[in-house]
Amino acid sequence: LKNHTLWTFLTLLTLYLSAKILSRGHARDYASAGLTAGLTVGTFLLGWPACLIVAAAAAIRLSQGRPWRGEIQGVLIAAGCAIGIFFLTNPFWILDYHDAMLEMAVLGRSPASLSKPVLFIAGPLRRAVTGPFLALMFGGALFAAWRGRKEPALLLCLCAFVMSLAGTTILYDVTHTRIARYFLGGIAIGSLLAARAALELWRKNALGRAAVAAVVLNLALNGFTYARNFHLDDSGHSSKIRAGEWIEANIPPGESLGLLHLPQPSNSPLFRWDRYHLVFVELTVFKSLPRAELPRYLLVKTMDVDDKPYLGDNLAQYARIAIFGREELLPWLPVDETSTTANPIFEVYRLK
């Protein structure tokens, strides 16, 4: 039910309709591309680079010597359609502008930085799509820069990919892999560039075909690793069951066991809660607890967010005695700790 699949699809549809602008440049082409761009932003505000794809198509036509009057008119039509459909699908921006701005203030604003795209590429994007596939993406980008004059649609893909990367300059955090979901439109466009690079390598020689096969196989194994953990999460081999069985077998009944979240099926091991003296501690409170109030045992989970950095110096007073992690098929394809809620990582600590 998240909106990320929808805005990614709309980004690709905007690219497709903008490619039609390159070949025909009709007013209806600008209008349809503008509508899908506006829907993209209306679905997800950080999808705003989709609007720049339409402008890039007009800029490419101008570089081909097309009359500027027609392209400016087309861009204005696209802008009008985008703005109109945005407010039509998000009427609260007009009907309840005051509360909408208050909500935006709660979300906060992140200062733009040109270093963020570099950090994003080297961190979350590389981990999300694997290093070899990322290399294929940028190989396709270089090929598009070389062939752009002969293949305007390929040049448009390159412009769209670069503008999507520009959108990361205002992200509040570019270190966690989970941030990659804010770039799914860019990943989709980058995948088109990667596919073109793969096609050129495949046509080249046997070595090129072997390289493409290796990249695709590595990507497939990475996806299978995550899928495997989703399967384990729904089976008798989940970390929730294994951690629960270990707790019942190794922690004596009646001992104090600290939990940083209220027990829920999604984030708690399955064990007999009535066997122990459960101590619930808020993350923001734990680091300031005196030693006398610390529970003898502590359960820490990593599911989408790692709790350990929030525990402060008090974590050093504990020794880890057990960990129940995620299954990894290959050593170079780890499951990123904070990128999925499937098969959570559980660590059990004992007070020193």
Side-chain angles (χ1 to χ4, degrees), residues 56-102:
I60 292 173
R61 283 179 59 85
L62 286 174
S63 69
Q64 295 171 337
R66 309 277 185 171
W68 66 269
R69 188 182 298 274
E71 306 312 319
I72 295 298
Q73 183 181 12
V75 169
L76 292 175
I77 291 173
C81 291
I83 293 171
I85 199 67
F86 172 82
F87 285 112
L88 183 65
T89 54
N90 294 264
F92 59 88
W93 281 98
I94 297 175
L95 302 177
D96 200 2
Y97 177 78
H98 177 71
D99 283 355
M101 293 308 296
L102 288 177

Side-chain angles (χ1 to χ4, degrees), residues 197-213:
L199 180 63
E200 296 301 323
L201 284 172
W202 192 267
R203 289 170 172 171
K204 201 170 184 63
N205 50 42
L207 183 61
R209 289 191 288 274
V212 171

Side-chain angles (χ1 to χ4, degrees), residues 47-220:
W48 61 266
C51 297
L52 301 180
I53 300 175
V54 186
I60 292 173
R61 283 179 59 85
L62 286 174
S63 69
Q64 295 171 337
R66 309 277 185 171
W68 66 269
R69 188 182 298 274
E71 306 312 319
I72 295 298
Q73 183 181 12
V75 169
L76 292 175
I77 291 173
C81 291
I83 293 171
I85 199 67
F86 172 82
F87 285 112
L88 183 65
T89 54
N90 294 264
F92 59 88
W93 281 98
I94 297 175
L95 302 177
D96 200 2
Y97 177 78
H98 177 71
D99 283 355
M101 293 308 296
L102 288 177
E103 290 177 4
M104 292 302 295
V106 170
L107 291 174
R109 296 176 182 175
S110 176
S113 171
L114 294 178
S115 65
K116 287 183 179 180
V118 178
L119 296 173
F120 176 77
I121 292 168
L125 184 57
R126 175 186 57 80
R127 293 192 295 267
V129 304
T130 70
F133 191 78
L134 180 63
L136 202 59
M137 274 187 180
F138 281 94
L142 291 174
F143 182 79
W146 176 56
R147 290 280 299 181
R149 285 196 170 275
K150 296 181 179 179
E151 297 185 47
L154 190 59
L155 180 60
L156 180 63
C157 282
L158 174 61
C159 292
F161 184 61
V162 171
M163 289 183 294
S164 294
L165 282 173
T168 64
T169 58
I170 61 171
L171 292 181
Y172 68 91
D173 187 358
V174 290
T175 59
H176 288 92
T177 307
R178 59 192 296 198
I179 295 299
R181 70 185 187 272
Y182 296 162
F183 188 70
L184 285 177
I187 289 177
I189 296 168
S191 297
L192 294 177
L193 294 171
R196 184 56 189 274
L199 180 63
E200 296 301 323
L201 284 172
W202 192 267
R203 289 170 172 171
K204 201 170 184 63
N205 50 42
L207 183 61
R209 289 191 288 274
V212 171
V215 171
V216 173
L217 178 61
N218 186 72
L219 186 65

